[in-house]
Amino acid sequence: MSSTVITGASSGIGHSLARRIAASGAPVALLARRGELLERLADEIRAAGGRALALPCDVTDRRAVGVAIEAAEAALGPVARLVANAGGGRATGVDPFDVDLITEVVTLNFLGTVHCIEAVLPGMLERRAGHLVAVSSLAASRGLPGASAYSASKAALTNFMESLRIDLRGRGVDVTVIAPGFVRTKPGKTNKRRRPLRVDLEPATERMWRVIQARRPYDAFPAGLVALTWLGRVLPASWYDRLLAGRGPTPKS
Ligand SMILES: NC(=O)c1ccc[n+]([C@@H]2O[C@H](COP(=O)([O-])OP(=O)(O)OC[C@H]3O[C@@H](n4cnc5c(N)ncnc54)[C@H](OP(=O)(O)O)[C@@H]3O)[C@@H](O)[C@H]2O)c1
């Protein structure tokens, strides 16, 4: 059976999706930086009768990604599916205007996925079969306060994947972009920031897995936040600014 590479598998959405994919019978290569968490998940999957390999790797390191994916192919066979989920971001503001932090967020959320695609795409094109999945965000839809780097990086990711989807038409490789709103990845943890219409991890995982299996080109959820986002897109800039002013996270100085 052909394998799945999933990044950001040490916690949150990636961890949950990796378990779901492994439960379907597909061998999974688990990538993230925290190796001990990956080993724990791989052990759990193997104990349940699945196949899994923990490959500690920083996706911002292009060479390391190539090495990890080579190791995945050697152990589990050709990569049929990439789920590029590793990502995240800290608040970014204007004072300080922290270019190092902006570079870090953009490199992780955008180039991290590009590095993974570089490692799997030639084989997929040769076999004329494959599936590239990227976990973007509803934050890609328009600039959000306190999240300039995050929303820009996710917009770059979404548009990049969309271009690839068109460029790959007729080549046997499908592309899926999933744009969640807020997903509760740490149940029980209280957070002072408002996260409207937050979805629990379990239903979010099930939805994402259905979208991946159906190879849908794009999915965004939950519907309520998708509708608000759509409204945000068509609002004139002056209204949008007034509505969102002061609603973002505060960058740490
Ligand atoms: N939760 C939400 O509300 C939400 C909403 C929209 C979109 N998303 C997107 O969903 C994805 C998963 O987020 P999450 O909420 O599950 O966050 P999370 O629990 O913080 O998980 C992030 C994952 O990415 C990995 N990662 C971070 N930097 C990495 C690096 N340099 N190299 C390799 N792996 C790295 C982390 O593992 P290590 O630290 O071990 O490297 C971790 O496994 C992200 O792309 C995020 O932007 C989340």
Side-chain angles (χ1 to χ4, degrees):
M1 182 173 295
S2 41
S3 67
T4 294
V5 168
I6 176 158
T7 69
S10 59
S11 64
I13 294 172
H15 183 274
S16 180
L17 252 183
R19 279 165 108 177
R20 187 65 192 83
I21 294 170
S24 77
V28 285
L30 311 168
L31 272 66
R33 292 164 304 176
R34 289 170 292 172
E36 71 289 359
L37 295 181
L38 298 180
E39 287 295 354
R40 212 178 295 164
L41 177 58
D43 284 346
E44 182 195 315
I45 291 170
R46 286 191 289 258
R51 286 182 72 197
L53 184 65
L55 293 165
C57 164
D58 184 335
V59 296
T60 66
D61 181 340
R62 183 178 169 192
R63 225 181 60 83
V65 170
V67 170
I69 290 182
E70 255 182 49
E73 300 214 289
L76 302 174
V79 177
R81 184 194 293 130
L82 165 71
V83 181
N85 158 83
R90 306 210 313 270
T92 45
V94 288
D95 183 19
F97 185 73
D98 188 342
V99 176
D100 289 338
L101 178 55
I102 295 168
T103 306
E104 201 180 292
V105 173
V106 172
T107 306
L108 170 60
N109 289 336
F110 176 46
L111 290 180
T113 295
V114 173
H115 296 158
C116 296
I117 293 174
E118 179 187 33
V120 299
L121 186 57
M124 289 180 175
L125 285 174
E126 206 178 294
R127 295 186 295 277
R128 293 189 65 81
H131 189 192
L132 304 173
V133 180
V135 180
S136 185
S137 167
L138 279 180
S141 128
R142 208 166 171 178
L144 290 175
S148 51
Y150 185 73
S151 46
S153 64
K154 291 295 190 180
L157 175 64
T158 296
N159 286 0
F160 181 83
M161 297 304 287
E162 187 136 76
S163 296
L164 281 195
R165 200 172 63 229
I166 302 164
D167 292 340
L168 286 167
R169 268 172 79 89
R171 306 286 302 270
V173 181
D174 296 318
V175 175
T176 297
V177 174
I178 304 179
F182 297 108
V183 179
R184 189 179 287 105
T185 51
K186 296 177 185 87
K189 196 177 170 206
T190 50
N191 197 305
K192 277 179 249 137
R193 263 187 65 208
R194 276 193 66 234
R195 290 189 161 89
L197 303 170
R198 198 141 60 133
V199 182
D200 284 333
L201 184 57
E202 190 81 3
T205 303
E206 282 308 316
R207 178 174 183 129
M208 291 168 86
W209 176 229
R210 279 198 304 277
V211 168
I212 292 171
Q213 281 179 297
R215 295 189 175 225
R216 283 178 53 191
Y218 180 83
D219 184 58
F221 64 91
L225 204 55
V226 172
L228 280 176
T229 307
W230 180 84
L231 199 66
R233 278 183 82 95
V234 297
L235 277 184
S238 55
W239 292 24
Y240 180 77
D241 295 358
R242 225 171 302 151
L243 253 171
L244 289 199
R247 288 182 187 272
T250 317
K252 289 192 184 89
S253 50

